[in-house]
Amino acid sequence: MRRHGVWKDAFARRWKVDELLVDEDTLERAAFYLHATLDDFRTVHDLSRCDTLASVAVRHGVECATIKSSNNLFSDQSLHCRSKVYIPIQDESQLFDTKVKLVRVAELKRYLLLVVEPAASGTRPTQQNAKDVAPRRTPDSKSRLELLAETMHRSMRVDLDTCRYYLLNNRQDLARAMGECQEDADWETKEERDGLR
């Protein structure tokens, strides 16, 4: 058992996390944490009824395909069969000063390292690792608008300027913007059909 304490400490130093939380049963069966890569770390997103794959992807700054592949989802609608999804960590700096728990996720049939306690907002990197930390990019409203416009463009096959127009009209609410755009497209189609008769 002593060696597991040494391994846990080495893991915490390697990834700059506060602590690795794990029960002894899991520890014996899943020594993969010794060779963990960034792909093994996830955060948990609890789903609500109004969440879509696109909204979760935008909120966490990842691609829809990444969420689908890392959660064994075969379609966008299969998201609604789950109560939570696991979002891959994109950068090592997201792990600094957090608590990580090693768990077996039944839906995915594998072990994952879940960030269970994020770093305090006032936490700063120490002098030793300050140069290793990449500056964190905070999304501003323009980059959020562009990301939403690209998502809407891919989903509805509408040009980007039209997407930006509907998003700005609806305070960057993707679902409402897409709904309004679809209503207008349906109205135009109906008017064209009525005009031809």
Side-chain angles (χ1 to χ4, degrees), residues 127-167:
Q127 288 292 346
Q128 177 185 4
N129 64 15
K131 62 182 177 232
D132 300 335
V133 179
R136 195 172 220 169
R137 188 176 148 247
T138 56
D140 58 0
S141 62
K142 183 178 182 236
S143 65
R144 175 176 161 73
L145 175 65
E146 291 305 312
L147 189 57
L148 289 170
E150 289 172 9
T151 302
M152 188 172 168
H153 167 71
R154 286 192 306 266
S155 298
M156 299 190 71
R157 308 262 194 264
V158 178
D159 65 279
L160 284 170
D161 289 330
T162 303
C163 295
R164 287 184 201 102
Y165 168 79
Y166 283 104
L167 286 163

Side-chain angles (χ1 to χ4, degrees), residues 5 10-11 15-16 19-20 36 57 65 71 87 91 107 110 129 132 152 182 197:
F11 176 89
W15 294 102
K16 298 179 179 75
E19 186 179 359
L20 172 64
N71 287 280
I87 310 297
D91 185 13
E107 300 97 1
R110 65 177 284 203
N129 64 15
D132 300 335
M152 188 172 168
Q182 188 61 50
R197 291 184 188 177

Side-chain angles (χ1 to χ4, degrees), residues 4-183:
H4 289 302
V6 172
W7 289 345
K8 284 169 63 174
D9 291 341
F11 176 89
R13 277 193 311 277
R14 159 62 182 98
W15 294 102
K16 298 179 179 75
V17 298
D18 278 349
E19 186 179 359
L20 172 64
L21 306 172
V22 61
D23 56 341
E24 292 303 318
D25 295 348
T26 308
L27 195 58
E28 288 296 327
R29 283 185 256 132
F32 89 94
Y33 71 91
L34 295 173
H35 308 288
T37 64
L38 193 58
D39 293 336
D40 297 316
F41 290 90
R42 303 280 194 279
T43 58
V44 178
H45 175 85
D46 292 315
L47 293 169
S48 67
R49 290 179 57 209
C50 61
D51 277 336
T52 63
L53 190 62
S55 69
V56 173
V58 168
R59 185 174 302 137
H60 292 282
V62 296
E63 295 285 326
C64 292
T66 303
I67 294 174
K68 283 171 67 173
S69 66
S70 64
N71 287 280
N72 295 341
L73 300 173
F74 298 103
S75 70
D76 293 1
Q77 289 74 27
S78 59
L79 179 76
H80 300 291
C81 299
R82 303 276 176 90
S83 60
K84 57 184 143 192
V85 290
Y86 302 94
I87 310 297
I89 297 291
Q90 300 296 308
D91 185 13
E92 276 187 42
S93 66
Q94 292 175 290
L95 298 172
F96 295 168
D97 302 321
T98 61
K99 289 188 179 178
V100 176
K101 184 172 186 176
L102 177 65
V103 295
R104 171 116 168 82
V105 180
E107 300 97 1
L108 305 180
K109 297 180 180 163
R110 65 177 284 203
Y111 286 94
L112 292 176
L113 293 156
L114 301 180
V115 176
V116 292
E117 189 176 308
S121 58
T123 305
R124 291 180 176 237
T126 61
Q127 288 292 346
Q128 177 185 4
N129 64 15
K131 62 182 177 232
D132 300 335
V133 179
R136 195 172 220 169
R137 188 176 148 247
T138 56
D140 58 0
S141 62
K142 183 178 182 236
S143 65
R144 175 176 161 73
L145 175 65
E146 291 305 312
L147 189 57
L148 289 170
E150 289 172 9
T151 302
M152 188 172 168
H153 167 71
R154 286 192 306 266
S155 298
M156 299 190 71
R157 308 262 194 264
V158 178
D159 65 279
L160 284 170
D161 289 330
T162 303
C163 295
R164 287 184 201 102
Y165 168 79
Y166 283 104
L167 286 163
L168 288 171
N169 267 359
N170 290 285
R171 296 183 178 164
Q172 297 187 18
D173 183 335
L174 183 62
R176 285 179 43 198
M178 289 174 78
E180 186 178 324
C181 182
Q182 188 61 50
E183 284 176 17

